[in-house]
Amino acid sequence: KQEVTQIPAALSVPEGENLVLNCSFTDSAIYNLQWFRQDPGKGLTSLLLIQSSQREQTSGRLNASLDKSSGRSTLYIAASQPGDSATYLCAVRHGGGNKLTFGTGTQLKVEL
Amino acid sequence: ETGVTQSPTHLIKTRGQQVTLRCSSQSGHNTVSWYQQALGQGPQFIFQYYREEENGRGNFPPRFSGLQFPNYSSELNVNALELDDSALYLCASSLEQGHGELFFGEGSRLTVL
């Protein structure tokens, strides 16, 4: 059974700091991994999708890496801003279909 | 291009009642999946619909059922509501099964009293 863990559970940083969020998964036989952002009481916003054959993806100030063999992914946020405050979720997909297994998220607060 | 839309946004039911939640997938997306997110947890996969057929299901009892229509919109039905069914219900659509990016709606917040 696939298990996804995200560390830390919560993080508070000053504005402008670069930060790394971690995601680990127990079954390395994945199709892809997707990072999401969730604001309180809202739905999920897709940030980055990494296919199993890729090592990393970049979008603006965000960079996600994937090391499938070790079961790890990181989300790097450069020059953090207060608007980045949200919960960040990683999810892995394995097998056919659209079943994602999610971690419990990292709650990020960027302070002025 | 419209994104994934869900209705209603909030609703309150009592234990034992039935509820129907609706989802319109993103334009051109033929695969819809539903997730349940309890407070403080990650979303849990309920089931998926592709071409109007359920073709994947998570660890949820049969009182959770669904439909997908020819226009790819979908419904989630929950019978005999229990207090633990209180959660945010999220719908996601994708252009293709298995590899494409999933796009989520804003969710329907269900409270069971």
Side-chain angles (χ1 to χ4, degrees):
Chain A
K1 178 188 172 188
Q2 177 74 272
E3 292 184 3
V4 180
T5 303
Q6 291 188 246
I7 294 173
L11 181 63
S12 182
V13 300
E15 182 181 14
E17 191 162 300
N18 302 324
L19 57 101
V20 174
L21 308 181
N22 296 292
C23 172
S24 62
F25 46 94
T26 54
D27 184 349
S28 61
I30 64 169
Y31 273 30
N32 57 42
L33 183 146
Q34 200 166 347
W35 281 93
F36 295 90
R37 167 189 173 133
Q38 186 172 34
D39 292 293
K42 300 294 186 181
L44 307 182
T45 299
S46 178
L47 298 174
L48 290 164
L49 170 71
I50 310 179
Q51 301 293 351
S52 61
S53 58
Q54 297 175 318
R55 298 284 294 187
E56 65 179 288
Q57 282 285 346
T58 298
S59 175
R61 295 184 292 110
L62 305 179
N63 175 278
S65 68
L66 175 64
D67 183 344
K68 201 175 76 160
S69 61
S70 67
R72 294 181 182 179
S73 176
T74 62
L75 179 67
Y76 175 84
I77 303 176
S80 58
Q81 303 170 358
D84 295 331
S85 298
T87 296
Y88 290 81
L89 293 153
C90 74
V92 298
R93 180 196 267 146
H94 49 96
N98 285 353
K99 176 184 176 181
L100 298 183
T101 302
F102 283 84
T104 52
T106 293
Q107 188 174 5
L108 172 66
K109 183 175 182 181
V110 181
E111 299 175 316
L112 291 168
Chain B
E1 178 180 287
T2 56
V4 178
T5 58
Q6 293 186 241
S7 63
T9 55
H10 296 82
L11 68 167
I12 300 173
K13 293 285 188 178
T14 56
R15 202 168 42 174
Q17 284 189 312
Q18 178 265 343
V19 69
T20 297
L21 308 178
R22 295 178 176 83
C23 171
S24 292
S25 61
Q26 187 159 321
S27 178
H29 287 191
N30 60 17
T31 304
V32 174
S33 44
W34 286 89
Y35 289 79
Q36 180 196 64
Q37 186 178 25
L39 204 60
Q41 301 296 313
Q44 299 288 318
F45 175 75
I46 302 175
F47 46 54
Q48 166 185 302
Y49 279 82
Y50 172 66
R51 292 185 177 179
E52 302 177 54
E53 296 282 334
E54 181 184 306
N55 72 342
R57 189 176 185 94
N59 189 27
F60 281 82
R63 61 190 184 83
F64 286 77
S65 64
L67 286 172
Q68 186 181 29
F69 300 100
N71 65 354
Y72 305 135
S73 65
S74 177
E75 287 182 355
L76 166 64
N77 299 289
V78 187
N79 294 322
L81 284 167
E82 301 177 359
L83 297 179
D84 285 350
D85 296 333
S86 295
L88 181 67
Y89 287 85
L90 297 162
C91 171
S93 73
S94 68
L95 188 57
E96 57 184 274
Q97 289 191 93
H99 297 273
E101 191 171 2
L102 260 66
F103 295 91
F104 282 77
E106 289 295 309
S108 293
R109 170 71 65 186
L110 172 64
T111 301
V112 182
L113 302 176

